[in-house]
Amino acid sequence: MQWTKVLGLGLGAAALLGLGIILGHFAIPKKANSPAPQDLDLAILETVMGQLDAHRIRENLRELSREPHLASSPRDEDLVQLLLQRWKDPGSGLDSAEASTYEVLLSFPSQEQPNVVDVVGPTGDIIHSCHRTEENVTGEQGGPDVVQPYAAYAPSGTPQGLLVYANQGAEEDFKELQTQGIKLEGTIALTRYGGVGRGAKAVNAAKHGVAGVLVYTDPADINDGLSSPNETFPNSWYLPPSGVERGSYYEYFGDPLTPYLPAVPSSFRVDLANVSGFPPIPTQPIGFQDARDLLCQVSVSVYNRLELRNSSNVLGIIRGAVEPDRYVLYGNHRDSWVHGAVDPSSGTAVLLELSRVLGTLLKKGTWRPRRSIVFASWGAEEFGLIGSTEFTEEFFNKLQERTVAYINVDISVFANATLRVQGTPPVQSVVFSATKEIRSPGPGDLSIYDNWIRYFNRSSPVYGLVPSLGSLGAGSDYAPFIHFLGISSMDIAYTYDRSKTSARIYPTYHTAFDTFDYMDKFLDPGFSSHQAVARTAGSVILRLSDSFFLPLKVSDYSETLRSFLQAAEQDLGALLEQHSISLGPLVTAVEKFEAEASALGQRISTLQKGSPDPLQVRMLNDQLMLLERTFLNPRAFPEERYYSHVLWAPRTGSVATFPGLSNACSRARDTASGSEAWAEVQRQLSIVVTALEGAAATLRPVADL
Amino acid sequence: MQWTKVLGLGLGAAALLGLGIILGHFAIPKKANSPAPQDLDLAILETVMGQLDAHRIRENLRELSREPHLASSPRDEDLVQLLLQRWKDPGSGLDSAEASTYEVLLSFPSQEQPNVVDVVGPTGDIIHSCHRTEENVTGEQGGPDVVQPYAAYAPSGTPQGLLVYANQGAEEDFKELQTQGIKLEGTIALTRYGGVGRGAKAVNAAKHGVAGVLVYTDPADINDGLSSPNETFPNSWYLPPSGVERGSYYEYFGDPLTPYLPAVPSSFRVDLANVSGFPPIPTQPIGFQDARDLLCQVSVSVYNRLELRNSSNVLGIIRGAVEPDRYVLYGNHRDSWVHGAVDPSSGTAVLLELSRVLGTLLKKGTWRPRRSIVFASWGAEEFGLIGSTEFTEEFFNKLQERTVAYINVDISVFANATLRVQGTPPVQSVVFSATKEIRSPGPGDLSIYDNWIRYFNRSSPVYGLVPSLGSLGAGSDYAPFIHFLGISSMDIAYTYDRSKTSARIYPTYHTAFDTFDYMDKFLDPGFSSHQAVARTAGSVILRLSDSFFLPLKVSDYSETLRSFLQAAEQDLGALLEQHSISLGPLVTAVEKFEAEASALGQRISTLQKGSPDPLQVRMLNDQLMLLERTFLNPRAFPEERYYSHVLWAPRTGSVATFPGLSNACSRARDTASGSEAWAEVQRQLSIVVTALEGAAATLRPVADL
């Protein structure tokens, strides 16, 4: 039976008969607390897919984005209560839910003394003042809770100097200016968003003596070139001229005062003077309207303040019936810069609908998953993934030992063209299985999978043409799970047709124009893309929590390793050979991994044909679950806070291979053989080889040491 | 049924009827490959205890110690073959066995140019030359394979200078000399073994400008004051005047060139110039005969050479019937400095007897354990735990995920008075259970437990008077398992009556007098103490591998934590308060641990009364097995290579509390509040609190996040 067809039917029924009847239609009555089935129950999956309701998601979003809910604000705390109320609901709640609070260092503009950007004439007279707020175009940009646009964690200060346009504020941009003989000392650098991280612009600028940094959003990057008020929101999805992207300018993630420790009141806090990762000079974001008007001397007055604030995570749990010590984690952050309808409430609206549907089945006694499902609403993500990072610091070992996978749905809908998934290779197969069975929104009768492959695809040596998954950076709360704990992770969203827009991200990102109406009118009218994301995430969660054998295909890592190896051979082989460094051990290690992963897959296939006992399956599942952990080495990149994954740590080198190797080669390229830089290349190569050999060893039959 | 009685009977039978009959007497025939029983089979345990044969252990030791077998020597390789042959024997071998070889950096004296210590008169004439070899008193000290006494890893060099007696070569010893106005620059320091580590003597000396170090064994420390040839070996167990203790003077452990990487040929090797941890100045050990004669100017000529050598571990495996992915690891090193009858062959002799008895049951099809048992013979331990460390580096994740416990039996018999066990708290209960059921060697009808409690005991708040376990330092191959991987570990031996000798260690330790006859005549005539250790280790291994519920009592950690907390409160409380540091969070964390550990124990007791399903038990066992891992924090002590266990890392501070806290307080004591040293105290306190909170979290019911 094809999911697409079943769902087509289900949706028709929904339109005609309403939700109550659908519940009756899909639910398969079972006695309360009945033992979980041995394997994924397709009837339950069908029920869940049918009950995920676009209208309810829309209502969730309306409520979530009704008011600005900056991290730790009263409205953010109200939403904590909303989540608790939903997750404790007698009819559709979870087994348990609680909020846990951390005391973290956030940064805010001063209310008394707003940040100011002025153009100053030769005699000190103010020629032009930049807007301090965005234009109140829908009545939602003017309230007292709309935080002034600012660069979180930028230091206070009132520098004044000549304006220099520094493109994206990358290191090469400042070098180029120097080459052109432009004096940077004491200037104000005007940079545009994109290219490098927010904080990096100030770090790079300060190295050249720049006194202050402005960051604006260029219409070419975000609005497909359009910039006039009648072409922008509320008349289109494009950013109005007054729109300013807020954001955290902190270089790392987690609470800045408690690296590697949970930000509970008793934890040691680094002295403020010793905190690293803040922008070194005053920095302020502005809109393109103001950017266009800037001339001459510019004076930037930044009055940001650091504050210790309480920020909560909310956790809701469905207890596993058979393996309660195996956790399928599904989360999103709750805090926004302003109303945050797109970022992050579109994700939370989906989260709430999914927890309602599963909670209802649970409360009726229809279903209980084999493994535990944990719903998480993270706090203070916008300031640097703080809530999720503190959570991983507090429960490091427990989460590392027991978590099957982490699923992140932050912005669930950027646009309604196609699914987009970022994740590590083992999650590819479960996402494919899920999306092949769900109807894509929009015209036609395609599955989400078939629609997806039209937008993002690659030619796999194993499978032929398949949708391509992106790799996980550090753009949302999955970062601590994959980089710090080594848990297989994914991020799911609906997104753009890139032939229709070149916007760097949806135009009102981190501005006061990111509101319910913006989503409702321009991004996902009808909320069918939200529903598609809810169904995709729901199916993935059910498959991960209910399948007897974990649907994590570890052999899909072989393609990644092989491509990293090929890049190393092609683009670094000659260079390494010149320095007497052999890739032979890496070749052997990759081959060993491929062979062991493939053999494990065959053992599982064979077992699946018989009736394996639960302990046998548990042992195999542990091999699958823990494979990702074997790629962690907390001593591999001591200078990169939290990053321990030897395959997905940040890569700055140009060659698309193992990041440690790529980066070390890039640094060593112009130095002599025998230098410390080449020793570091060899060390990084050994770290990768040891990790791959160790990974292969964990895939072997468990009694072969 | 009491073990003591059964064994009395069994031993009588053995004496009368010989081994074949005993096998028939004890063995309970079962069909081959019969499924493992649900729980520990007491009949099998009885069989194993009865079959462990003192005579066979003695013959093992004779063969193992027949020739010197310095790490990587031809005889060491012969022993690799001996182990493989035994473990592949069709009648008494294991499921599989293989040797794995590492290429490691060892240090040897030059054969062409022996190390020399001369007393030189004012005009340069040689007044006295120290012995270059030990006296050939039994015909075993004279062979070509007896390595010249030397300080492994001491650099070459030929310093000459005035002799200064520097006691044990501790930092305070050199300071005392300075206070007395004695010029140390350019001198040769004569130090005696003990007090501080071998390498530390040279490190401390070099700081004061000393040019060379001699280290001798003082009869007061090792021979209960006796020193004349007719009072020493071969006439007693005491060290002859010419005896010289060899040893590694390397500060860390593992192969010096490949920290954190396995020493396989492809691994990156640190440039020799960048290796840290070697003694900084030429150093040479001498006997007390020579030490007594030293006067005036002394010239020390050290010609040690570093060599890359192949060194093998041998691994033998008994595959678990039900949970083959759970490993009970039992190991000892194989290499010795000379014949090494005591160190380490007495342990290997026991290991071989235990593997023979278990292998025989296996090959007959009588028994197969629930979990896997891994026997390990480590290489190059004497140079710094190299074989075991490289093994943990190579299989870090796999071992960490799957190892139930590590049991080390290095020197199995120091003397025949009493059992001595070092270990982490969770292993206490299984050792107690085992030793209560085994008859103690020697007169009387005491159990090993009842004999043990007479020599080492403490008053436990929970149990009253019990034998006391020592804590694990880094004296043998358990070190990487407990400190680097966080695996519950223990070290088992028979040892001295401290009322009869004050010897620092058995007198011929690391000398050419540590021979079979030495053991056979003076330490354990009749080998009954060897048999007692074999039975203790055997019973512990069977209990760990066959018990349905793992016999690791995690609540026994509560006593340790409580005592660490009390020491902190009593001895540091006032000081911490002066610096506004509260122990409140630590109190809370310890209380939480106690409550959770106790509740977990009760849940297990309740389950044990019913008939829990294997998956339920597996989940609880995972909590027990993985508790020790929760105390690891690889970022806690970045300057202490490998040490990551926040409870058992080296403690240099005087207060017997959490080592990070104790050490940081000791360093901060004389500095002002607000200094970096006090920030480090707070950081260390937070690290402990976070670890304890995290540990308690893993003990909670698994569905409560």
Side-chain angles (χ1 to χ4, degrees), chain A residues 260 266-268 319 322 325 327 398 402 585 618-619 622 630 635 644 679 682 686 697-698 702-705, chain B residues 260 266-268 319 322 325 327 397-398 402 585 618-619 622 630 635 644 679 682 686 697-698 702-705:
Chain A
Y260 297 123
S266 74
S267 274
F268 166 65
R319 204 173 56 249
V322 183
D325 68 341
Y327 309 148
K398 183 165 176 160
R402 301 179 190 165
R618 167 93 171 190
M619 288 187 274
D622 278 0
T630 65
R635 295 167 180 93
S644 307
Q682 288 192 296
S686 283
T698 68
V702 290
D704 297 357
L705 204 70
Chain B
Y260 298 123
S266 74
S267 275
F268 167 64
R319 203 174 55 249
V322 184
D325 67 341
Y327 308 148
N397 280 285
K398 185 165 176 161
R402 301 180 190 166
R618 166 91 171 191
M619 287 187 274
D622 279 0
T630 65
R635 294 168 180 94
S644 308
Q682 288 192 294
S686 282
T698 69
V702 291
D704 298 357
L705 203 70

Side-chain angles (χ1 to χ4, degrees), chain A residues 120-125 127 160 296-297:
Chain A
V120 184
T123 58
D125 49 323
I127 294 170
Q160 182 170 327
C296 331
Q297 281 267 99

